[in-house]
Amino acid sequence: EIPLGPADPILGLNDMFNKDTDGRKINLGVGAYRDDDGKPWVLPSVRAAERKILDSNINKEYLGIAGLSPFVNLSLKFAYGDDSVDLAEGRIAGVQTLSGTGACRLAGEFFNRFGISANNTIYQPNPTWGNHIPIFKNAGMDVKQYAYYNKETIGLDFE
């Protein structure tokens, strides 16, 4: 028998929202932009990007293990800036993953296998996504947490 993993409390909010019959409800959980009827609304810029991809008639060949190199390289430039010394010196690397969850698992496996982290420890914020802790623990990491959110002040936890 394979047990179910723990429910994600953040995604559980979507279930609660869908079951709520109050017409005044507003979904402030994770997800897409919404229209006045609460239905997902796709930004026109996203639709334009989708059309551009479709019109480019790219093939569906398998990508290399690190993903689509031009995409990864442009993503790194976007994240670190065109003038990043670290990028220019080749001290930053990146790979394309299927999702944030996939990226966490890949990072955990990489850190664990190559001893990237002191004492095989990774620090995550508290709160964090419900799946982050088990992902890194299952990848062999020692997960520790730090506070950043103060529920009482509804702001940053500076203490």
Side-chain angles (χ1 to χ4, degrees), residues 15-153:
D15 291 335
M16 290 171 55
F17 176 84
N18 290 332
K19 292 175 183 171
D20 189 339
T21 58
D22 190 325
R24 300 168 299 164
K25 67 183 180 179
I26 299 173
N27 188 344
L28 300 177
V30 174
Y33 289 102
R34 307 278 172 179
D35 64 16
D36 290 338
D37 296 320
K39 304 295 182 198
W41 179 72
V42 180
L43 294 169
S45 58
V46 172
R47 290 285 187 220
E50 289 174 332
R51 275 191 297 282
K52 189 174 181 179
I53 291 169
L54 287 173
D55 291 345
S56 69
N57 202 26
I58 58 175
N59 66 42
K60 304 294 185 213
E61 190 63 59
Y62 284 101
L63 297 175
I65 194 166
L68 184 63
S69 293
F71 173 76
V72 173
N73 292 335
L74 287 171
S75 297
L76 291 172
K77 283 185 179 182
F78 178 74
Y80 293 96
D82 286 328
D83 57 349
S84 169
V85 174
D86 294 324
L87 271 178
E89 293 177 354
R91 294 189 287 140
I92 297 175
V95 296
Q96 183 178 357
T97 64
L98 293 175
S99 63
T101 297
C104 287
R105 180 61 187 222
L106 183 64
E109 292 284 343
F110 183 82
F111 293 165
N112 184 24
R113 183 170 298 164
F114 296 104
I116 302 296
S117 175
N119 300 318
N120 213 32
T121 300
I122 189 161
Y123 288 85
Q124 297 181 356
N126 182 11
T128 189
W129 288 92
N131 62 342
H132 286 182
I133 293 171
I135 286 170
F136 283 95
K137 282 186 176 181
N138 288 331
M141 301 293 298
D142 179 25
V143 179
K144 297 195 185 292
Q145 292 192 285
Y146 61 89
Y148 74 95
Y149 180 71
N150 184 325
K151 291 179 185 178
E152 292 175 19
T153 64

